[in-house]
Protein backbone atom coordinates (compact mmCIF):
# COMPACT_ATOMS: atom_id res chain seq x y z
CA UNK A 1 0.00 0.00 0.00
CA UNK A 2 1.15 3.50 -0.75
CA UNK A 3 1.84 5.93 2.05
CA UNK A 4 0.05 8.74 0.21
CA UNK A 5 -3.14 8.11 -1.75
CA UNK A 6 -4.11 10.78 -4.22
CA UNK A 7 -7.52 11.12 -5.79
CA UNK A 8 -8.77 11.34 -8.35
CA UNK A 9 -6.06 9.86 -10.54
CA UNK A 10 -7.30 11.70 -13.61
CA UNK A 11 -9.47 14.75 -14.02
CA UNK A 12 -10.56 16.44 -17.22
CA UNK A 13 -12.57 19.63 -16.88
CA UNK A 14 -13.57 22.69 -18.84
CA UNK A 15 -11.94 26.07 -18.41
CA UNK A 16 -13.64 28.04 -15.66
CA UNK A 17 -14.72 25.05 -13.56
CA UNK A 18 -13.66 24.50 -9.98
CA UNK A 19 -12.01 21.33 -8.73
CA UNK A 20 -10.56 19.72 -5.64
CA UNK A 21 -7.92 17.02 -5.45
CA UNK A 22 -7.01 15.07 -2.37
CA UNK A 23 -4.00 13.56 -0.70
CA UNK A 24 -4.78 11.08 2.08
CA UNK A 25 -2.81 8.94 4.49
CA UNK A 26 -3.28 7.07 7.73
CA UNK A 27 0.01 8.51 9.00
CA UNK A 28 0.65 11.84 10.67
CA UNK A 29 3.16 14.19 9.11
CA UNK A 30 5.00 17.26 10.34
CA UNK A 31 4.58 18.90 6.96
CA UNK A 32 3.30 18.19 3.48
CA UNK A 33 4.21 19.64 0.13
CA UNK A 34 2.33 20.04 -3.14
CA UNK A 35 4.13 20.00 -6.47
CA UNK A 36 3.04 20.52 -10.07
CA UNK A 37 4.79 18.72 -12.86
CA UNK A 38 4.27 19.76 -16.47
CA UNK A 39 5.14 17.55 -19.43
CA UNK A 40 8.88 17.36 -19.99
CA UNK A 41 9.63 19.13 -16.74
CA UNK A 42 10.50 18.13 -13.21
CA UNK A 43 8.18 18.71 -10.26
CA UNK A 44 7.98 22.31 -9.06
CA UNK A 45 7.13 23.10 -5.47
CA UNK A 46 3.86 24.99 -5.04
CA UNK A 47 3.46 25.11 -1.28
CA UNK A 48 4.46 23.57 2.04
CA UNK A 49 1.82 23.22 4.76
CA UNK A 50 2.96 22.67 8.32
CA UNK A 51 0.21 23.32 10.84
CA UNK A 52 -2.92 21.21 11.24
CA UNK A 53 -5.87 23.06 9.72
CA UNK A 54 -3.59 25.45 7.89
CA UNK A 55 -4.92 27.06 4.71
CA UNK A 56 -2.59 28.62 2.16
CA UNK A 57 -3.58 30.43 -1.00
CA UNK A 58 -1.56 30.82 -4.16
CA UNK A 59 -3.63 32.91 -6.57
CA UNK A 60 -6.52 30.61 -7.58
CA UNK A 61 -5.08 27.63 -5.71
CA UNK A 62 -6.11 26.94 -2.11
CA UNK A 63 -4.25 24.33 -0.09
CA UNK A 64 -5.47 22.92 3.20
CA UNK A 65 -3.73 20.65 5.67
CA UNK A 66 -6.06 18.42 7.67
CA UNK A 67 -6.54 19.11 11.36
CA UNK A 68 -4.89 15.80 12.22
CA UNK A 69 -2.09 16.40 9.70
CA UNK A 70 -2.90 13.16 7.86
CA UNK A 71 -4.40 14.59 4.72
CA UNK A 72 -4.48 17.61 2.48
CA UNK A 73 -6.54 19.07 -0.32
CA UNK A 74 -5.88 21.37 -3.23
CA UNK A 75 -8.76 23.42 -4.58
CA UNK A 76 -8.48 25.30 -7.86
CA UNK A 77 -11.00 28.03 -8.61
CA UNK A 78 -11.88 28.86 -12.22
CA UNK A 79 -9.36 26.50 -13.72
CA UNK A 80 -7.31 27.66 -16.69
CA UNK A 81 -5.58 25.62 -19.40
CA UNK A 82 -2.30 26.68 -17.80
CA UNK A 83 -3.26 24.68 -14.72
CA UNK A 84 -2.93 21.48 -16.74
CA UNK A 85 -0.36 19.15 -15.26
CA UNK A 86 0.37 16.44 -12.74
CA UNK A 87 -0.26 17.47 -9.15
CA UNK A 88 1.79 15.61 -6.59
CA UNK A 89 1.74 15.63 -2.83
CA UNK A 90 4.87 14.65 -0.93
CA UNK A 91 6.05 14.26 2.63
CA UNK A 92 9.32 13.80 4.42
CA UNK A 93 9.09 10.56 6.37
CA UNK A 94 12.10 11.36 8.51
CA UNK A 95 14.65 9.93 6.10
CA UNK A 96 15.44 13.40 4.82
CA UNK A 97 13.98 12.43 1.47
CA UNK A 98 10.57 12.93 -0.05
CA UNK A 99 7.90 10.28 -0.44
CA UNK A 100 5.48 11.13 -3.22
CA UNK A 101 1.92 10.21 -3.96
CA UNK A 102 1.13 8.87 -7.43
CA UNK A 103 -0.41 12.16 -8.45
CA UNK A 104 -3.55 13.59 -9.99
CA UNK A 105 -3.31 14.28 -13.69
CA UNK A 106 -5.37 17.37 -14.51
CA UNK A 107 -6.42 18.39 -18.00
CA UNK A 108 -8.18 21.73 -18.41
CA UNK A 109 -9.88 22.06 -21.76
CA UNK A 110 -10.18 25.56 -23.27
CA UNK B 1 20.70 31.45 -11.84
CA UNK B 2 20.84 28.13 -13.67
CA UNK B 3 18.57 25.40 -12.39
CA UNK B 4 19.32 21.73 -11.97
CA UNK B 5 20.46 20.37 -15.31
CA UNK B 6 20.42 16.76 -16.38
CA UNK B 7 21.99 14.98 -19.32
CA UNK B 8 20.97 13.22 -21.45
CA UNK B 9 17.34 14.22 -21.63
CA UNK B 10 16.48 10.99 -23.44
CA UNK B 11 18.36 7.76 -23.85
CA UNK B 12 17.40 4.50 -25.58
CA UNK B 13 19.69 1.56 -24.92
CA UNK B 14 19.56 -2.17 -25.30
CA UNK B 15 19.22 -4.53 -22.39
CA UNK B 16 22.65 -5.32 -21.02
CA UNK B 17 24.22 -2.03 -22.05
CA UNK B 18 25.50 0.66 -19.73
CA UNK B 19 24.11 4.16 -19.34
CA UNK B 20 25.46 7.04 -17.32
CA UNK B 21 23.20 9.91 -16.34
CA UNK B 22 24.65 13.20 -15.22
CA UNK B 23 23.25 15.86 -12.93
CA UNK B 24 24.56 19.36 -12.32
CA UNK B 25 22.89 20.78 -9.21
CA UNK B 26 22.30 24.44 -8.53
CA UNK B 27 25.60 26.03 -7.61
CA UNK B 28 26.18 26.03 -3.89
CA UNK B 29 23.62 23.35 -3.09
CA UNK B 30 25.25 20.76 -0.87
CA UNK B 31 22.29 18.37 -0.99
CA UNK B 32 21.78 16.35 -4.15
CA UNK B 33 19.10 13.70 -4.62
CA UNK B 34 18.26 11.14 -7.24
CA UNK B 35 14.67 10.01 -7.73
CA UNK B 36 13.06 7.72 -10.28
CA UNK B 37 9.60 7.28 -11.74
CA UNK B 38 8.93 4.06 -13.56
CA UNK B 39 5.82 3.56 -15.67
CA UNK B 40 2.62 3.68 -13.68
CA UNK B 41 4.34 4.21 -10.36
CA UNK B 42 5.00 7.14 -8.09
CA UNK B 43 8.29 9.03 -7.96
CA UNK B 44 10.62 7.16 -5.63
CA UNK B 45 13.74 8.22 -3.79
CA UNK B 46 17.00 6.58 -4.80
CA UNK B 47 19.74 8.30 -2.83
CA UNK B 48 20.97 11.48 -1.20
CA UNK B 49 24.39 13.13 -1.22
CA UNK B 50 25.61 15.84 1.09
CA UNK B 51 28.55 17.27 -0.75
CA UNK B 52 30.49 14.21 -1.90
CA UNK B 53 29.21 11.88 0.82
CA UNK B 54 26.36 9.44 0.40
CA UNK B 55 23.96 10.11 3.26
CA UNK B 56 21.26 7.64 2.31
CA UNK B 57 21.25 5.16 -0.54
CA UNK B 58 18.44 3.02 0.82
CA UNK B 59 16.34 3.59 -2.29
CA UNK B 60 18.86 2.18 -4.75
CA UNK B 61 17.14 -0.86 -6.28
CA UNK B 62 20.18 -3.13 -6.61
CA UNK B 63 23.92 -3.19 -7.21
CA UNK B 64 23.51 -2.49 -10.91
CA UNK B 65 23.09 1.15 -9.92
CA UNK B 66 26.11 3.23 -8.92
CA UNK B 67 25.99 6.91 -8.03
CA UNK B 68 28.96 9.17 -7.50
CA UNK B 69 29.51 12.81 -6.69
CA UNK B 70 33.22 13.38 -6.90
CA UNK B 71 34.30 16.75 -5.59
CA UNK B 72 30.82 17.46 -4.32
CA UNK B 73 29.68 19.15 -7.51
CA UNK B 74 28.02 17.21 -10.29
CA UNK B 75 26.77 13.66 -9.85
CA UNK B 76 26.52 10.65 -12.10
CA UNK B 77 24.20 7.68 -11.91
CA UNK B 78 25.38 4.63 -13.81
CA UNK B 79 23.21 1.65 -14.61
CA UNK B 80 25.23 -1.42 -15.58
CA UNK B 81 23.95 -3.68 -17.03
CA UNK B 82 20.59 -2.09 -17.80
CA UNK B 83 17.44 -4.21 -17.57
CA UNK B 84 14.00 -3.60 -19.06
CA UNK B 85 12.52 -2.67 -15.68
CA UNK B 86 15.02 0.19 -15.37
CA UNK B 87 13.06 2.19 -17.94
CA UNK B 88 11.61 5.36 -16.55
CA UNK B 89 12.40 8.96 -15.75
CA UNK B 90 15.34 9.68 -13.49
CA UNK B 91 15.11 12.99 -11.68
CA UNK B 92 17.91 14.79 -9.96
CA UNK B 93 17.17 17.43 -7.36
CA UNK B 94 19.17 19.73 -5.16
CA UNK B 95 18.61 21.89 -2.13
CA UNK B 96 20.71 24.19 0.00
CA UNK B 97 19.38 22.66 3.19
CA UNK B 98 17.88 19.35 4.21
CA UNK B 99 14.42 18.43 2.96
CA UNK B 100 13.42 17.63 6.51
CA UNK B 101 13.70 21.32 7.31
CA UNK B 102 10.78 21.91 4.98
CA UNK B 103 13.02 23.77 2.60
CA UNK B 104 12.57 23.97 -1.12
CA UNK B 105 14.03 21.24 -3.25
CA UNK B 106 14.62 21.96 -6.93
CA UNK B 107 14.15 19.27 -9.53
CA UNK B 108 15.76 18.91 -12.91
CA UNK B 109 13.75 18.11 -16.01
CA UNK B 110 14.63 14.44 -15.76
CA UNK B 111 16.46 11.93 -17.91
CA UNK B 112 14.14 9.59 -19.77
CA UNK B 113 15.63 6.12 -20.04
CA UNK B 114 14.18 3.47 -22.29
CA UNK B 115 15.72 0.00 -22.19
CA UNK B 116 14.73 -2.21 -25.14
Amino acid sequence: TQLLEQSPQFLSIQEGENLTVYCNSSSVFSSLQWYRQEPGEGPVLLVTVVTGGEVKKLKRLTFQFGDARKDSSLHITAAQPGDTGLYLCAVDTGRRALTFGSGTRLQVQP
Amino acid sequence: EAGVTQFPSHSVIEKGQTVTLRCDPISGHDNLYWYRRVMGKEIKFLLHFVKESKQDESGMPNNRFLAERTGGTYSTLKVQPAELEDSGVYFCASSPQLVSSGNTIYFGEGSWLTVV
Side-chain angles (χ1 to χ4, degrees), chain A residues 4-7 22-24 32-36 72 86-91 98-104:
Chain A
L4 298 172
E5 297 284 345
Q6 289 193 244
S7 61
Y22 301 92
C23 177
N24 296 306
L32 184 145
Q33 296 185 325
W34 282 95
Y35 290 79
R36 179 169 65 211
S72 182
L86 178 66
Y87 288 82
L88 300 158
C89 62
V91 295
L98 293 172
T99 296
F100 285 87
S102 55
T104 291

Side-chain angles (χ1 to χ4, degrees), chain A residues 2 35 37 42 92 95 98 102, chain B residues 35 37 42 45 100 105 108:
Chain A
Q2 290 184 336
Y35 290 79
Q37 184 183 359
D92 167 42
R95 276 187 9 214
L98 293 172
S102 55
Chain B
Y35 288 82
R37 183 173 187 139
E42 68 274 19
F45 166 78
S100 60
I105 179 172

Side-chain angles (χ1 to χ4, degrees), chain A residues 29-71:
Chain A
F29 305 111
S30 57
S31 66
L32 184 145
Q33 296 185 325
W34 282 95
Y35 290 79
R36 179 169 65 211
Q37 184 183 359
E38 298 184 28
E41 305 285 333
V44 175
L45 178 66
L46 296 174
V47 76
T48 301
V49 286
V50 178
T51 307
E54 180 178 7
V55 176
K56 282 192 173 180
K57 291 194 174 184
L58 187 65
K59 296 182 181 178
R60 294 175 292 98
L61 278 61
T62 302
F63 304 85
Q64 183 161 9
F65 202 12
D67 291 340
R69 290 183 288 127
K70 292 182 178 181
D71 51 70

Side-chain angles (χ1 to χ4, degrees), chain B residues 16-70:
Chain B
Q17 288 187 323
T18 298
V19 64
T20 300
L21 310 178
R22 172 171 169 145
C23 169
D24 286 79
I26 293 173
S27 178
H29 283 194
D30 288 342
N31 295 279
L32 186 149
Y33 308 84
W34 284 97
Y35 288 82
R36 174 174 81 163
R37 183 173 187 139
V38 298
M39 186 68 69
K41 301 287 187 182
E42 68 274 19
I43 297 173
K44 286 194 173 178
F45 166 78
L46 295 179
L47 85 160
H48 169 211
F49 284 98
V50 176
K51 297 184 180 179
E52 68 276 7
S53 299
K54 291 178 187 175
Q55 291 296 296
D56 182 352
E57 52 183 331
S58 60
M60 296 287 263
N62 51 61
N63 59 9
R64 295 185 294 103
F65 289 75
L66 175 64
E68 295 180 320
R69 193 183 181 193
T70 307

